[in-house]
Amino acid sequence: DTGVSQDPRHKITKRGQNVTFRCDPISEHNRLYWYRQTLGQGPEFLTYFQNEAQLEKSRLLSDRFSAERPKGSFSTLEIQRTEQGDSAMYLCASSDGQIYGYTFGSGTRLTVV
Amino acid sequence: GESVGLHLPTLSVQEGDNSIINCAYSNSASDYFIWYKQESGKGPQFIIDIRSNMDKRQGQRVTVLLNKTVKHLSLQIAATQPGDSAVYFCAENDYKLSFGAGTTVTVRA
């Protein structure tokens, strides 16, 4: 296991389309996080899972966003009816509960045209 | 809400010199801070952390200083190398991370 994997790395979509991103965390990590990062800004927290339970959702996560972690392993983040303002880097991170184990993936860059 | 932030958006440094990157935070109850490095096209990478019961912590070529009186953090990089060119973020950790806007460090040859 070489780290947190995210797929795809880049996604270009037309406004109004739905997109889904996948995150594969480090296998022994029970915590999984999604963050969003816009150009020139630090990452912003979106949501957090412990095993399969979604424990917190940010106000940034509108009704068009949904995240799942069905078996407590990989996670998906879906954005419905994409808007240009959704264009950003979507980062996934996983943790074993100890901060040294908090590892980010390389992200999925979404461009909505 | 409470947040962390960085003083300067950019820093240009000569190769071999020391770099100092600053960060101010507003939540006096914060007790755990982390510095991350983010290279282009990659996710943030852990550099070093510090708890509020410490005022200094050293790693390999990096030192973090914490001044709780003025709610200020700094990251010092010794003998800056071209590979240190990146965006640096401080973050407050409370099971989830709260990041500032970042400082872009450019190393001049």
Short mmCIF file of all heavy atoms in Angstrom, two decimals, chain A residues 20-45:
data_model
loop_
_atom_site.label_atom_id
_atom_site.label_comp_id
_atom_site.label_asym_id
_atom_site.label_seq_id
_atom_site.Cartn_x
_atom_site.Cartn_y
_atom_site.Cartn_z
N THR A 20 -18.42 11.86 -10.29
CA THR A 20 -18.12 11.05 -9.11
C THR A 20 -16.62 10.82 -9.03
O THR A 20 -15.99 10.46 -10.03
CB THR A 20 -18.83 9.68 -9.16
OG1 THR A 20 -20.24 9.91 -9.23
CG2 THR A 20 -18.53 8.86 -7.92
N PHE A 21 -16.08 11.03 -7.83
CA PHE A 21 -14.66 10.80 -7.59
C PHE A 21 -14.51 9.65 -6.60
O PHE A 21 -15.35 9.47 -5.73
CB PHE A 21 -14.00 12.05 -6.98
CG PHE A 21 -14.29 13.32 -7.72
CD1 PHE A 21 -14.51 14.50 -7.02
CD2 PHE A 21 -14.31 13.36 -9.10
CE1 PHE A 21 -14.77 15.68 -7.69
CE2 PHE A 21 -14.57 14.54 -9.77
CZ PHE A 21 -14.81 15.71 -9.06
N ARG A 22 -13.38 8.97 -6.72
CA ARG A 22 -13.12 7.85 -5.83
C ARG A 22 -11.85 8.10 -5.04
O ARG A 22 -10.88 8.66 -5.55
CB ARG A 22 -12.98 6.56 -6.63
CG ARG A 22 -12.62 5.34 -5.78
CD ARG A 22 -12.51 4.09 -6.58
NE ARG A 22 -11.96 3.00 -5.79
CZ ARG A 22 -12.60 1.83 -5.60
NH1 ARG A 22 -13.79 1.61 -6.14
NH2 ARG A 22 -12.03 0.89 -4.86
N CYS A 23 -11.87 7.62 -3.80
CA CYS A 23 -10.68 7.68 -2.94
C CYS A 23 -10.45 6.31 -2.32
O CYS A 23 -11.36 5.74 -1.72
CB CYS A 23 -10.86 8.72 -1.84
SG CYS A 23 -9.55 8.70 -0.60
N ASP A 24 -9.24 5.82 -2.46
CA ASP A 24 -8.82 4.59 -1.77
C ASP A 24 -7.82 4.97 -0.69
O ASP A 24 -6.69 5.37 -1.01
CB ASP A 24 -8.20 3.61 -2.76
CG ASP A 24 -9.23 2.96 -3.65
OD1 ASP A 24 -9.79 1.94 -3.23
OD2 ASP A 24 -9.50 3.51 -4.73
N PRO A 25 -8.20 4.84 0.58
CA PRO A 25 -7.30 5.26 1.66
C PRO A 25 -6.23 4.20 1.92
O PRO A 25 -6.26 3.12 1.33
CB PRO A 25 -8.25 5.35 2.86
CG PRO A 25 -9.28 4.29 2.58
CD PRO A 25 -9.45 4.29 1.07
N ILE A 26 -5.34 4.52 2.81
CA ILE A 26 -4.39 3.53 3.30
C ILE A 26 -5.19 2.45 4.03
O ILE A 26 -6.09 2.77 4.83
CB ILE A 26 -3.35 4.20 4.21
CG1 ILE A 26 -2.47 5.12 3.36
CG2 ILE A 26 -2.51 3.17 4.95
CD1 ILE A 26 -1.50 5.97 4.15
N SER A 27 -4.91 1.22 3.76
CA SER A 27 -5.82 0.12 4.11
C SER A 27 -6.13 0.01 5.60
O SER A 27 -7.24 -0.31 5.99
CB SER A 27 -5.28 -1.21 3.59
OG SER A 27 -3.99 -1.45 4.10
N GLU A 28 -5.18 0.29 6.45
CA GLU A 28 -5.46 0.13 7.89
C GLU A 28 -6.04 1.38 8.54
O GLU A 28 -6.29 1.41 9.74
CB GLU A 28 -4.18 -0.29 8.62
CG GLU A 28 -3.03 0.70 8.53
CD GLU A 28 -2.08 0.40 7.38
OE1 GLU A 28 -2.54 -0.21 6.37
OE2 GLU A 28 -0.91 0.79 7.47
N HIS A 29 -6.28 2.43 7.75
CA HIS A 29 -6.81 3.68 8.28
C HIS A 29 -8.33 3.62 8.38
O HIS A 29 -9.02 3.31 7.42
CB HIS A 29 -6.40 4.87 7.41
CG HIS A 29 -4.98 5.26 7.57
ND1 HIS A 29 -4.42 6.34 6.91
CD2 HIS A 29 -3.99 4.74 8.34
CE1 HIS A 29 -3.16 6.45 7.27
NE2 HIS A 29 -2.87 5.49 8.13
N ASN A 30 -8.86 3.95 9.56
CA ASN A 30 -10.30 3.90 9.73
C ASN A 30 -10.98 5.25 9.50
O ASN A 30 -12.19 5.33 9.37
CB ASN A 30 -10.67 3.35 11.12
CG ASN A 30 -10.12 4.22 12.25
OD1 ASN A 30 -9.42 5.20 12.02
ND2 ASN A 30 -10.45 3.83 13.47
N ARG A 31 -10.19 6.31 9.43
CA ARG A 31 -10.77 7.64 9.22
C ARG A 31 -10.46 8.11 7.81
O ARG A 31 -9.35 7.95 7.30
CB ARG A 31 -10.22 8.64 10.23
CG ARG A 31 -10.59 8.29 11.65
CD ARG A 31 -10.13 9.36 12.61
NE ARG A 31 -10.45 8.98 13.99
CZ ARG A 31 -10.27 9.78 15.02
NH1 ARG A 31 -9.79 10.99 14.85
NH2 ARG A 31 -10.58 9.37 16.23
N LEU A 32 -11.47 8.72 7.18
CA LEU A 32 -11.31 9.22 5.82
C LEU A 32 -11.96 10.61 5.73
O LEU A 32 -13.06 10.82 6.24
CB LEU A 32 -11.96 8.26 4.81
CG LEU A 32 -11.75 8.56 3.33
CD1 LEU A 32 -11.66 7.26 2.54
CD2 LEU A 32 -12.80 9.47 2.76
N TYR A 33 -11.25 11.53 5.10
CA TYR A 33 -11.66 12.92 5.03
C TYR A 33 -11.70 13.36 3.57
O TYR A 33 -10.86 12.95 2.76
CB TYR A 33 -10.66 13.83 5.75
CG TYR A 33 -10.41 13.49 7.20
CD1 TYR A 33 -9.54 12.47 7.55
CD2 TYR A 33 -11.01 14.23 8.21
CE1 TYR A 33 -9.28 12.17 8.88
CE2 TYR A 33 -10.75 13.93 9.55
CZ TYR A 33 -9.90 12.91 9.87
OH TYR A 33 -9.65 12.62 11.19
N TRP A 34 -12.63 14.26 3.26
CA TRP A 34 -12.63 14.97 1.97
C TRP A 34 -12.44 16.46 2.25
O TRP A 34 -13.08 17.01 3.15
CB TRP A 34 -13.95 14.76 1.22
CG TRP A 34 -14.10 13.40 0.61
CD1 TRP A 34 -14.78 12.33 1.11
CD2 TRP A 34 -13.60 12.98 -0.66
NE1 TRP A 34 -14.71 11.27 0.25
CE2 TRP A 34 -14.00 11.64 -0.85
CE3 TRP A 34 -12.85 13.60 -1.67
CZ2 TRP A 34 -13.68 10.91 -2.00
CZ3 TRP A 34 -12.53 12.89 -2.79
CH2 TRP A 34 -12.95 11.55 -2.96
N TYR A 35 -11.58 17.06 1.43
CA TYR A 35 -11.33 18.50 1.49
C TYR A 35 -11.46 19.06 0.08
O TYR A 35 -11.26 18.36 -0.91
CB TYR A 35 -9.90 18.79 1.99
CG TYR A 35 -9.68 18.56 3.46
CD1 TYR A 35 -9.49 17.27 3.96
CD2 TYR A 35 -9.67 19.63 4.36
CE1 TYR A 35 -9.28 17.06 5.32
CE2 TYR A 35 -9.47 19.42 5.72
CZ TYR A 35 -9.28 18.13 6.18
OH TYR A 35 -9.08 17.92 7.53
N ARG A 36 -11.73 20.34 0.00
CA ARG A 36 -11.76 21.05 -1.28
C ARG A 36 -10.76 22.19 -1.22
O ARG A 36 -10.68 22.90 -0.20
CB ARG A 36 -13.15 21.60 -1.57
CG ARG A 36 -13.26 22.33 -2.91
CD ARG A 36 -14.69 22.66 -3.24
NE ARG A 36 -15.26 23.64 -2.34
CZ ARG A 36 -16.55 23.97 -2.34
NH1 ARG A 36 -17.39 23.38 -3.18
NH2 ARG A 36 -17.00 24.88 -1.52
N GLN A 37 -10.03 22.34 -2.32
CA GLN A 37 -9.02 23.39 -2.37
C GLN A 37 -9.17 24.19 -3.65
O GLN A 37 -9.09 23.64 -4.75
CB GLN A 37 -7.61 22.80 -2.28
CG GLN A 37 -6.50 23.84 -2.21
CD GLN A 37 -5.13 23.21 -2.03
OE1 GLN A 37 -4.88 22.07 -2.38
NE2 GLN A 37 -4.21 23.97 -1.44
N THR A 38 -9.37 25.50 -3.51
CA THR A 38 -9.42 26.38 -4.67
C THR A 38 -8.07 27.07 -4.81
O THR A 38 -7.26 27.11 -3.87
CB THR A 38 -10.55 27.40 -4.55
OG1 THR A 38 -10.43 28.08 -3.30
CG2 THR A 38 -11.90 26.71 -4.61
N LEU A 39 -7.83 27.63 -5.98
CA LEU A 39 -6.53 28.18 -6.32
C LEU A 39 -6.09 29.25 -5.32
O LEU A 39 -6.82 30.19 -5.03
CB LEU A 39 -6.58 28.77 -7.73
CG LEU A 39 -5.24 28.93 -8.44
CD1 LEU A 39 -4.55 27.59 -8.59
CD2 LEU A 39 -5.43 29.60 -9.80
N GLY A 40 -4.91 29.06 -4.77
CA GLY A 40 -4.34 30.05 -3.87
C GLY A 40 -4.82 29.95 -2.43
O GLY A 40 -4.39 30.73 -1.58
N GLN A 41 -5.68 28.98 -2.18
CA GLN A 41 -6.23 28.82 -0.83
C GLN A 41 -5.80 27.50 -0.20
O GLN A 41 -5.39 26.58 -0.90
CB GLN A 41 -7.75 28.88 -0.87
CG GLN A 41 -8.31 30.18 -1.43
CD GLN A 41 -7.90 31.38 -0.60
OE1 GLN A 41 -8.01 31.38 0.63
NE2 GLN A 41 -7.41 32.42 -1.26
N GLY A 42 -5.91 27.43 1.10
CA GLY A 42 -5.67 26.17 1.77
C GLY A 42 -6.88 25.25 1.63
O GLY A 42 -7.98 25.70 1.32
N PRO A 43 -6.67 23.97 1.84
CA PRO A 43 -7.80 23.04 1.77
C PRO A 43 -8.87 23.35 2.81
O PRO A 43 -8.56 23.78 3.92
CB PRO A 43 -7.15 21.68 2.06
CG PRO A 43 -5.70 21.86 1.73
CD PRO A 43 -5.39 23.27 2.07
N GLU A 44 -10.13 23.13 2.42
CA GLU A 44 -11.26 23.35 3.33
C GLU A 44 -11.95 22.01 3.58
O GLU A 44 -12.24 21.27 2.64
CB GLU A 44 -12.27 24.32 2.72
CG GLU A 44 -11.73 25.71 2.48
CD GLU A 44 -12.74 26.55 1.71
OE1 GLU A 44 -13.03 26.22 0.55
OE2 GLU A 44 -13.24 27.53 2.29
N PHE A 45 -12.24 21.75 4.83
CA PHE A 45 -12.87 20.50 5.23
C PHE A 45 -14.27 20.38 4.63
O PHE A 45 -15.06 21.33 4.67
CB PHE A 45 -12.95 20.46 6.76
CG PHE A 45 -13.77 19.33 7.31
CD1 PHE A 45 -13.24 18.06 7.40
CD2 PHE A 45 -15.07 19.55 7.74
CE1 PHE A 45 -13.99 17.02 7.93
CE2 PHE A 45 -15.83 18.53 8.26
CZ PHE A 45 -15.29 17.25 8.35
#
